[in-house]
Amino acid sequence: MSSIAAAGLPLAAVVIAILAAWAAGFDHRSALPPGLSASFYGFFLDRYPLFAAAIVYGLARLVVAATAPGPSGTIRRAVGLGIGAVLLLGLSLYPTFGGLVLRGAFATGGMAFLNQQPMIVAYGLGAATAAFLFAIALGLGGLAAGAERGPRGFRSIAVATIIGFLFLWFAFAVLGIAREAGFGNWPRGPLRSGDAFVAIGLALVAFLPHALLVAFRRSRQFGHTERLVSA
């Protein structure tokens, strides 16, 4: 898989998911199993609806990481992908939608605001908490799969980790302002075409920096592999 495809596939998955929700008219009235309905619809989906797009991006990113060129065998890739997916979904959806990711972010931002921090500071701290927890799932899933080779050396690993976290921090900060940016009342009502375009635009702006980082890492990894083969 090329570096462009590795970066573009998770973004494409997010766009397809949003368009599918719009085409299907999916909203809180859509039939879901009773247990799933009770845990899916609620405060965090109403307040932060585009976190659903983040979950899709994360799952697609794990798939890309598990299929990267590398020494890992098929079994380890499959097991690592499963571990990453379970961890991501667990942190994002248990006990209800938002999971520990949004609850941690909401608690952090709320406590900062109650301690008389400016709203923008409280919001930034909440987005940072969400990005940190989300990054843990992505990172551990990639490591478990053992397919995608990361940077070598402590300094390189530290720099790559910090940059990846900052880009995810930016992504969650952008996704969190969906209502303020004009996104409608979904999931309380059907996703309108205008809302779908707003959601796609915000999601692409949010995750494009992280996707470009993935493309850059993959291109460097591919170049390193080519040099090994030619040697």
Side-chain angles (χ1 to χ4, degrees), residues 6-7 57 61 64 148 209-219:
Y57 178 86
R61 175 73 188 102
V64 169
E148 196 171 54
H210 190 265
L212 292 177
L213 177 64
V214 171
F216 175 71
R217 289 177 179 173
R218 184 64 68 91
S219 64

Side-chain angles (χ1 to χ4, degrees), residues 154-168:
F154 176 79
R155 182 176 179 181
S156 297
I157 293 174
V159 171
T161 300
I162 292 172
I163 294 175
F165 165 73
L166 290 176
F167 285 166
L168 285 176

Side-chain angles (χ1 to χ4, degrees), residues 36-64:
L36 182 60
S37 177
S39 63
F40 188 72
Y41 300 121
F43 170 78
F44 285 104
L45 183 60
D46 287 340
R47 183 63 186 87
Y48 305 105
L50 293 192
F51 182 63
I55 297 174
V56 173
Y57 178 86
L59 292 174
R61 175 73 188 102
L62 288 172
V63 171
V64 169

Side-chain angles (χ1 to χ4, degrees), residues 97-171:
F97 182 88
L100 183 60
V101 175
L102 291 189
R103 283 166 174 78
F106 193 78
T108 302
M111 288 301 298
F113 185 71
L114 289 176
N115 285 310
Q116 300 183 349
Q117 295 297 323
M119 176 58 74
I120 189 170
V121 173
Y123 181 77
L125 290 173
T129 302
F132 177 75
L133 294 170
F134 199 79
I136 288 176
L138 291 184
L140 291 180
L143 288 174
E148 196 171 54
R149 292 176 179 172
R152 302 297 178 86
F154 176 79
R155 182 176 179 181
S156 297
I157 293 174
V159 171
T161 300
I162 292 172
I163 294 175
F165 165 73
L166 290 176
F167 285 166
L168 285 176
W169 186 3
F170 171 79

